[in-house]
């Protein structure tokens, strides 16, 4: 399912930055280092273009793909023995219900105040894609590459090219650092089978369990490999593809308590 697109300044900034870096890398840097009409130049331009196209496609998917919304007809079946966990409200002990959307919320779903919908396995709302990151669009990989293998160290004489080098550096260095940190953070979350929201909820839950003398275990933690395949799929070849056929309907998730009596967790 796709969603409509409304104007977003952060998205325009990202698109402009991608276009600027691509233009400079291919038509300025590669041309000056190798020459676009030479074999090394063509190979570098084609390789960089392929990576850039993959990045842009993933970014477009992240923007337009519906994050996964809770069906209006969803009703929790508390008598279903195949569902070992039912999330309940912290106060009152009732099943989680969204007053704004007027329906029950399945496990790991949360209401987004920006998108104004309940999102399945919601991670967070991302300003830079003007969309929620949730069950249906979480598997999006951002890949960037910048190779500098200049074969000569000729003095750059044109001020315009010096300015392009400086601007590109000012864009790429902080972006590379930020995206590397974000990638590392989400690799950690994937290996724990947590969303960003569940991580922060888990900090409080751990503190409460430790006060009670118990050890807290994230109910959806199936082990590193199973956690990885739950998000990316069992076929390693498809890990880099922005597909979501393997993820199910988002209303029920495997837990560490599958096969055990039905219990409840507070949310």
């Amino acid at each position: 399912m796709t969603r409509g697109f409304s104007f977003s300044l952060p998205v325009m900034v990202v698109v402009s930055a991608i276009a600027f870096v691509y233009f400079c890398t291919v038509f300025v840097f590669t041309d000056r280092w190798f020459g676009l009409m030479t074999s090394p130049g063509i190979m570098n331009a084609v390789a960089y273009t392929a990576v850039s196209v993959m990045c842009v496609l993933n970014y477009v998917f992240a923007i337009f793909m519906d994050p996964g919304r809770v069906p209006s007809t969803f009703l929790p079946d508390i008598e279903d023995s195949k569902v070992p966990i039912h999330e309940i409200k912290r106060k009152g002990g009732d099943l989680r219900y969204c007053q704004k959307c007027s329906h029950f919320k399945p496990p790991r779903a949360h209401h987004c105040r920006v998108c104004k919908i309940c999102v399945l396995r919601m991670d967070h709302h991302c300003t830079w894609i003007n969309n929620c990151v949730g069950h249906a669009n979480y598997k999006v990989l951002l890949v960037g590459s910048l190779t500098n293998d200049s074969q000569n160290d000729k003095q750059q004489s044109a001020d315009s090219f010096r300015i392009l080098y400086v601007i590109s550096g000012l864009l790429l260095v902080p972006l590379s650092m930020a995206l590397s940190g974000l990638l590392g953070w989400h690799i950690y979350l994937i290996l724990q089978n947590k969303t960003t929201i569940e991580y922060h909820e888990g900090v409080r839950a751990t503190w409460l369990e430790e006060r009670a003398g118990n050890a807290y275990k994230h109910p959806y933690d199936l082990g590193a490999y199973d956690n990885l395949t739950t998000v990316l799929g069992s076929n390693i070849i498809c890990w880099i593809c922005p597909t979501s056929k393997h993820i199910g309907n988002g209303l029920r998730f495997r837990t560490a308590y599958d096969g055990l009596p039905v219990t409840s967790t507070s949310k």
Side-chain angles (χ1 to χ4, degrees), residues 56-68:
V56 171
L57 285 177
N58 277 271
Y59 187 61
V60 170
F61 282 134
I63 293 172
F64 288 102
M65 185 179 292
D66 192 292

Side-chain angles (χ1 to χ4, degrees), residues 241-252:
C241 301
T243 58
S244 57
K245 294 181 179 179
H246 66 284
I247 59 177
N249 58 18
L251 300 177
R252 181 184 182 277

Side-chain angles (χ1 to χ4, degrees), residues 31-187:
D31 188 34
R32 290 176 67 83
W33 294 336
F34 304 108
L36 277 179
M37 295 298 103
T38 64
S39 295
I42 292 174
M43 288 189 294
N44 275 270
V46 169
Y48 188 82
T49 299
V51 173
S52 299
V53 168
M54 185 172 66
C55 291
V56 171
L57 285 177
N58 277 271
Y59 187 61
V60 170
F61 282 134
I63 293 172
F64 288 102
M65 185 179 292
D66 192 292
R69 62 187 68 203
V70 177
S72 58
T73 56
F74 170 74
L75 288 173
D77 186 356
I78 60 175
E79 296 182 355
D80 186 357
S81 60
K82 295 181 179 179
V83 183
I85 290 180
H86 291 284
E87 294 178 353
I88 60 175
K89 296 179 181 178
R90 290 196 183 100
K91 296 180 180 180
D94 299 326
L95 291 173
R96 297 167 67 232
Y97 186 85
C98 181
Q99 299 292 343
K100 297 181 177 65
C101 297
S102 299
H103 59 60
F104 288 97
K105 291 189 286 188
R108 315 182 82 176
H110 296 272
H111 183 84
C112 176
R113 291 175 293 180
V114 180
C115 296
K116 294 181 173 55
I117 60 172
C118 284
V119 178
L120 296 169
R121 195 186 181 275
M122 180 178 173
D123 189 272
H124 67 288
H125 182 89
C126 180
T127 303
W128 298 105
I129 63 173
N130 194 32
N131 194 8
C132 268
V133 177
H135 177 66
N137 67 347
Y138 185 76
K139 184 187 168 185
V140 175
L141 301 180
L142 297 178
V143 182
S145 175
L146 178 65
T147 302
N148 185 345
D149 190 20
S150 179
Q151 295 179 347
N152 55 59
D153 295 323
K154 294 180 180 179
Q155 180 69 31
Q156 306 297 327
S157 57
D159 290 340
S160 59
F161 290 114
R162 290 176 180 173
I163 293 174
L164 289 178
Y165 275 99
V166 171
I167 295 176
S168 296
L170 291 175
L171 280 173
L172 290 174
V173 171
L175 278 176
S176 297
M177 294 176 64
L179 290 177
S180 296
L182 188 62
L183 176 63
W185 167 245
H186 280 280
I187 289 176

Side-chain angles (χ1 to χ4, degrees), residues 189-201:
L189 290 179
I190 289 173
L191 293 177
Q192 299 288 321
N193 201 359
K194 294 179 180 179
T195 64
T196 300
I197 294 174
E198 289 170 348
Y199 169 81
H200 291 293
E201 290 178 340

